Amino acid sequence: MLTPTPLEELLDLAADVIGCDRRALPAGAAGSPFITLGGGLGQAVRLQARAEQQLGLAVDLAQLLGPAPLADVLARARPAPVRAAGGGDRAGAVRALLPGQSAALAAERAAGGGVVARIVSAELSGPLETGALRRALAALSARHEGLRTAFAATPRGPVRRVLAVCPPPLVTLEPVTAAPGEDLVAAAHARLAARAGRLVGRPGLPPLAFVLTPLAAGSHLLSFVHHDAVADSRSAALLWQELLADYDRAVSRRPLDRTPRPGPDRPAPDVPGPARVLPAKRAERLRSLAAGLDLAPAARPAAAFDFRGERLLFGLGTRLRDAADATARRAGVPHSTVLLAAWALAVGRRAGRERLLVGTEMPRRPTAELLRTAVPCAATVPVACELEGGVDYFLRGIACAFSEALQYADADDADAARAVGAPADRFRPAAPQVTFAARDELLPESLRAGGLTARFHHGHPGAVTADAALTVLRWREQPLLSLEFACARLTRAQAAQLARALRAALTALVTSSPHTPVDDLLETPAARDEAPAARPLAVPLP
């Protein structure tokens, strides 16, 4: 039997992560990019990690999600660099901020710690060993210097300092009480939201905490409350999976790994370097699409953006999920692209725009090694969405716009804000007014560890950084989406209308033929608003 070439082995891995026929992929890979073969960001990250772990090959993530044919990108894979373990040799030294941390700390100074606090929780069912949990937290902190990083102000601006030893605090709260019929997790999150600013604002210490809240007999909520400068959503998901694996080892009295991971400051080509300036052509295109979006036409003028926000949670149902998956397979795009396209369509129709920008979470030049380190390396990058063509043409266009935007994920934030034409309001974040994030692939809906079942929930601290932000929280089992909205821009009723518009846009996309013009999918916003009975949300939650 002939030994497969490195390219053939990489194509086999790609087929496996995409979920397609290994025999058919090489023909498509010769002329099509990864993202139009059904591969999304989550699949790209898994392919990159498996290529390094199983084959010892490094694949560039930005190229993988770029416009080049998949076979060409994989053919450029090189041997992965071998790095020595460790990284604690500079503990205590003052270091410059990493990309993204400056903006998070500036937002905190402008509007308080609650603006930059994030809450991700695991609902734990089963007997909990608190001692094992503390040992697991200590091991996690020893491995990831991001959990031992404190921030301080200096005359030259804020800096960070990595502490040699600093186990994350485990704060235990009194049992939560809820009104009859009220969800206990929602009640616990509401209480945490009120305290989030204090939990991430401890002077001289890392801005994070783990909070344990008893819910009922044999049930606890363990919440990771952290500053945006500590971790992005991908890093937070990594920490959860490692923490539960460590807890499982601690319960069974197996050794825990406390070897420090290579930190982001180690000299290496994969570390996010100085942010680059947007090319003039890209900046000009963004400006042409960046006119303000009026999501809620009303007599009253829009108030100044002040970060105050609320959230709507809603489901889509398994039938609509299955139809979206089928449409994604037909068009050769990931399901997240179908959801992004539906969001752009709903927002564009509501605002009367055929071309618009949607900010999307993307990693800044990561490699497999960096994605195994808890570090905030994500950026919100404007994706140029054009509502044109037939359904499948439109979906592939959104996929290509996403891959194009990824090439500029490491651009300077201030330069990108100028290019987009961000309003001069001092409270206005640099991101586009409307954003999208697909977090359903970062964490499974649940995990088992050490006799516990952990089911994940995302809290809302009461602050937003965009007028309207759609996030996919779950997809594979019971789809769950979150619509966060700025109180200064939308009322709750208007946000609910926008959520219904999203559902209508998604339904139209997945029930139409591949060549149906996008212009024919939905009626005008005025006709929708005047409809005698608006379709209710599938799973309305407070």
Side-chain angles (χ1 to χ4, degrees), residues 261-356:
R261 293 270 177 87
D265 292 312
R266 291 176 67 89
D270 54 21
V271 173
R276 58 193 180 95
V277 177
L278 278 177
K281 186 175 181 181
R282 171 74 176 173
E284 181 180 356
R285 184 166 186 235
L286 294 181
R287 279 193 295 272
S288 72
L289 299 176
L293 293 172
D294 190 1
L295 297 179
R300 65 180 179 88
F305 193 94
D306 59 6
F307 290 103
R308 291 184 304 109
E310 296 184 29
R311 179 178 73 168
L312 286 172
L313 295 175
F314 60 99
L316 295 177
T318 56
R319 183 175 299 179
L320 188 53
R321 176 205 63 197
D322 292 345
D325 285 340
T327 299
R329 288 192 296 271
R330 184 193 71 202
V333 299
H335 73 270
S336 57
T337 295
V338 178
L339 291 164
L340 171 58
W343 180 230
L345 187 58
V347 170
R349 290 290 185 262
R350 188 168 186 84
R353 298 282 301 280
E354 296 297 321
R355 303 166 72 231
L356 67 152

Side-chain angles (χ1 to χ4, degrees), residues 433-454:
Q433 290 172 255
V434 173
T435 64
F436 172 83
R439 296 180 182 162
D440 53 297
E441 291 187 340
L442 302 182
L443 268 177
E445 189 165 335
S446 63
L447 288 172
R448 286 192 58 81
L452 293 174
T453 297

Side-chain angles (χ1 to χ4, degrees), residues 123-129 216-220 247 448-454:
E123 183 182 1
L124 305 176
S125 300
L128 176 64
E129 294 188 25
S219 178
H220 297 78
Y247 176 80
R448 286 192 58 81
L452 293 174
T453 297

Side-chain angles (χ1 to χ4, degrees), residues 3 21 72 105 166 174-175 182 214 218-219 260 298 304 383 404 410 419 441 501 536:
T3 302
D21 189 336
D72 291 353
L105 294 172
C166 188
E174 63 277 10
E182 184 181 4
S219 178
V383 175
E404 179 189 13
D410 60 328
E441 291 187 340

Side-chain angles (χ1 to χ4, degrees), residues 17-18 34-43 46 316 320-343 395 398-399 402 436-443 470-477 479-481 502 506 509-510:
V17 300
I18 295 173
F34 182 73
I35 200 164
T36 58
L37 292 168
L41 181 57
Q43 291 96 328
R46 288 199 296 275
L316 295 177
L320 188 53
R321 176 205 63 197
D322 292 345
D325 285 340
T327 299
R329 288 192 296 271
R330 184 193 71 202
V333 299
H335 73 270
S336 57
T337 295
V338 178
L339 291 164
L340 171 58
W343 180 230
L395 293 175
I398 295 293
F402 179 92
F436 172 83
R439 296 180 182 162
D440 53 297
E441 291 187 340
L442 302 182
L443 268 177
L470 181 71
T471 303
V472 187
L473 300 178
R474 299 178 193 151
W475 185 251
R476 287 301 160 208
E477 296 184 26
L480 180 66
L481 278 66
L502 165 73
L506 181 61
L509 281 173
V510 304

Side-chain angles (χ1 to χ4, degrees), residues 7 11 22 24 32 81 98 107 139 142 158 162 226 235 246 285 339 342 350 357 393 403 413 423 434 446 474 541-542:
L7 177 57
L11 285 170
R22 296 187 179 197
S32 299
L98 296 170
V162 178
H226 66 90
S235 293
D246 280 341
R285 184 166 186 235
L339 291 164
R350 188 168 186 84
L357 297 177
Y393 176 91
S403 66
D413 291 332
V434 173
S446 63
R474 299 178 193 151
L541 295 172

Side-chain angles (χ1 to χ4, degrees), residues 7-78:
L7 177 57
E8 289 172 335
E9 292 181 304
L10 286 169
L11 285 170
D12 281 348
L13 287 182
D16 193 40
V17 300
I18 295 173
C20 66
D21 189 336
R22 296 187 179 197
R23 296 165 297 180
L25 182 63
S32 299
F34 182 73
I35 200 164
T36 58
L37 292 168
L41 181 57
Q43 291 96 328
V45 169
R46 288 199 296 275
L47 174 56
Q48 182 191 54
R50 290 181 60 182
E52 181 175 311
Q53 294 164 3
Q54 296 175 219
L55 305 177
L57 295 173
V59 178
D60 185 275
L61 189 66
Q63 291 183 23
L64 187 57
L65 286 168
L70 174 60
D72 291 353
V73 173
L74 297 182
R76 292 195 287 268
R78 294 292 179 265

